[in-house]
Structures are given as structure tokens and as C-alpha cells.
């Protein structure tokens, strides 16, 4: 398991839908990778906040800016422009160098 695989399986993991073997691999990776641990913890907190608040409307301008920034980040991740020296999980490496 590496950071890229964790990101690919994150939604199923957070929804308790990941297969037992995938869950075990993810948790083993999380025990070694601080960057991915932060991503998982932040995602859990974000989901908790959003589900506690319920739905709400945001201004169109803000929605468009968020969408544009998100899409740019996804495009950057797909092209492999993540930097392993920054702890960026998009690079596919971990902080321990594995």
C-alpha cells in the first residue's frame, strides 16, 4: 500500500465499505505514514462537520472558485507533479521513504 492507493480507497474506507484485506493494508500504511494519517483524520472531521450541519447553500462565485481549485489539484495529482520532499501524498511516497 502506498499513498496513491490509500487515496484511491479512502472513500470506501471512510464509509466502512472497504474489504477486510484493503482495510488491513490501509491501516498498516497509516501506522507508518503521517501525511496519510492527517488526510484520513481531516477527512473524518470534515465529514462529521458537514453531516452535523446539514445542507447549506454557498454563493455561486465561491462554488466556482472551489471547483476550479479542486480540479486543478486533481489534474496536478494525475500528472504526478507531487513532490516527495514535501510530504505530498500525491507523489505516491511516504514520509519514511517507502
Amino acid at each position: 500500500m502506498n499513498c496513491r492507493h490509500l487515496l484511491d480507497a479512502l472513500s470506501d474506507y471512510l464509509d466502512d465499505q472497504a474489504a477486510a484485506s484493503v482495510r488491513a493494508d490501509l491501516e498498516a500504511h497509516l501506522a507508518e505514514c503521517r501525511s496519510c494519517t492527517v488526510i484520513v483524520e481531516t477527512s473524518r472531521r470534515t465529514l462529521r462537520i458537514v453531516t452535523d450541519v446539514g445542507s447549506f447553500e454557498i454563493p455561486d462565485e465561491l462554488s466556482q472558485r472551489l471547483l476550479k481549485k479542486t480540479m486543478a489539484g486533481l489534474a496536478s495529482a494525475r500528472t504526478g507533479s507531487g513532490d516527495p520532499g514535501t510530504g505530498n501524498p500525491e507523489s505516491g511516497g511516504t514520509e519514511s521513504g517507502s
Side-chain angles (χ1 to χ4, degrees):
M1 177 68 58
N2 63 30
C3 299
R4 170 63 76 195
H5 292 126
L6 180 131
L7 292 175
D8 291 342
L10 183 59
S11 180
D12 286 343
Y13 179 72
L14 293 174
D15 291 339
D16 291 323
Q17 300 296 315
S21 61
V22 172
R23 176 172 291 281
D25 288 346
L26 285 168
E27 290 172 354
H29 177 77
L30 290 171
E32 298 178 3
C33 182
R34 181 71 184 138
S35 294
C36 285
T37 299
V38 169
I39 289 170
V40 170
E41 290 173 358
T42 302
S43 297
R44 282 185 175 141
R45 278 182 270 172
T46 301
L47 287 170
R48 211 172 301 124
I49 290 168
V50 171
T51 56
D52 287 349
V53 170
S55 63
F56 56 91
E57 295 291 321
I58 61 173
D60 285 339
E61 180 182 326
L62 176 59
S63 177
Q64 291 301 315
R65 284 192 331 214
L66 289 171
L67 181 60
K68 183 177 180 180
K69 185 117 176 145
T70 300
M71 296 308 288
L74 290 172
S76 175
R78 284 189 195 119
T79 61
S81 61
D83 181 0
T86 64
N88 183 344
E90 311 306 341
S91 66
T94 64
E95 288 183 347
S96 64
S98 40

